[in-house]
């Protein structure tokens, strides 16, 4: 399922953009970029970009899940970051459901490209 890696990479980059948009919120409401919350957001941005490089590995989905868990737990520090974590966790759950559905259909031979 090589095409799914492209979808995962695109979703991660979109997530990087959305998390980066939390930086102005941290600057205004979170005490500034130089605080722990600012460093947390920057670390998440770097980790999400780095995760794009390991998508071929079978454990990459676990890394993504841990990053989302960190985002959800960070709700305590910055509500916006926790909300982003919940939103993208739902997106990833839907993507994984779609991947499972396509794999099931592929095994059954029911994909449109498999029809004769």
């Amino acid at each position: 399922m090589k095409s799914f890696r492209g979808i995962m990479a695109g979703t991660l980059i979109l997530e990087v953009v959305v998390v980066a948009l939390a930086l102005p919120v941290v600057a205004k409401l979170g005490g500034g970029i130089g605080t722990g919350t600012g460093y947390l957001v920057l670390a998440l941005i770097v980790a999400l970009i780095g995760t794009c490089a390991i998508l071929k590995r079978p454990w990459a989905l676990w890394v993504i899940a841990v990053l989302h868990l960190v985002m959800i737990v960070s709700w305590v520090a910055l509500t916006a970051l926790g909300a982003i974590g919940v939103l993208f966790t739902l997106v990833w759950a839907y993507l994984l459901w779609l991947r499972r559905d396509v794999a099931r259909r592929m095994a059954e031979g029911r994909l449109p490209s498999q029809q004769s």
Side-chain angles (χ1 to χ4, degrees):
M1 306 213 43
K2 291 180 183 179
S3 61
F4 185 69
R5 283 197 303 254
I7 293 170
M8 290 193 312
T11 304
L12 284 170
I13 295 302
L14 179 64
E15 197 166 351
V16 166
V17 171
V18 173
V19 171
L21 288 172
L23 284 173
V25 175
V26 171
K28 278 285 200 197
L29 303 176
I33 304 295
T35 62
T37 307
Y39 291 132
L40 173 66
V41 172
L42 291 173
L44 282 170
I45 291 170
V46 170
L48 288 168
I49 292 172
T51 306
C52 289
I54 63 166
L55 286 177
K56 287 185 178 183
R57 310 279 187 228
W59 42 267
L61 287 175
W62 291 105
V63 173
I64 293 169
V66 168
L67 287 175
H68 284 97
L69 183 64
V70 168
M71 271 197 278
I72 292 171
V73 169
S74 68
W75 190 296
V76 182
L78 187 66
T79 306
L81 196 56
I84 292 169
V86 169
L87 177 74
F88 274 101
T89 299
L90 293 173
V91 168
W92 279 95
Y94 179 66
L95 287 176
L96 292 175
W97 178 81
L98 281 176
R99 182 178 87 162
R100 186 190 62 149
D101 186 52
V102 167
R104 184 177 48 84
R105 287 183 186 191
M106 193 182 306
E108 294 172 356
R110 292 187 351 195
L111 289 177
S113 62
Q114 294 174 323
Q115 302 297 317
S116 53

